[in-house]
Amino acid sequence: MTMIRLVFKELVGMFVDDGSLALLALILIALIAAAVKFLGLPPLAGGWLLLAGCLAILLQSTRRAARGRAR
């Protein structure tokens, strides 16, 4: 079981360097898509929210990485 977990972790690590960044981006995309589809949010507004959200997530991830290297 440990070997399977290790292989899975290595495979995911090949594509995703920062799991938190990837998870937050997927959640943001799902929320914006749901808001556009079900709540009637205009697609252009959804695009701007997606851009702003991605920039905020990237900024947060960059700050976390910088703090980790400073220690």
Side-chain angles (χ1 to χ4, degrees):
M1 192 62 160
T2 305
M3 184 66 160
I4 294 171
R5 192 174 299 148
L6 180 64
V7 169
F8 179 74
K9 194 173 186 179
E10 286 296 320
L11 285 173
V12 170
M14 287 173 47
F15 301 103
V16 178
D17 185 37
D18 186 356
S20 174
L21 175 72
L23 182 63
L24 288 173
L26 288 174
I27 291 171
L28 177 67
I29 291 167
L31 289 174
I32 298 295
V36 168
K37 183 166 181 132
F38 300 118
L39 299 178
L41 182 69
L44 188 58
W48 283 110
L49 285 174
L50 187 60
L51 176 65
C54 284
L55 289 174
I57 292 169
L58 185 59
L59 178 64
Q60 182 260 344
S61 177
T62 304
R63 284 183 179 168
R64 187 177 63 245
R67 272 185 276 148
R69 288 186 183 165
R71 291 180 185 177

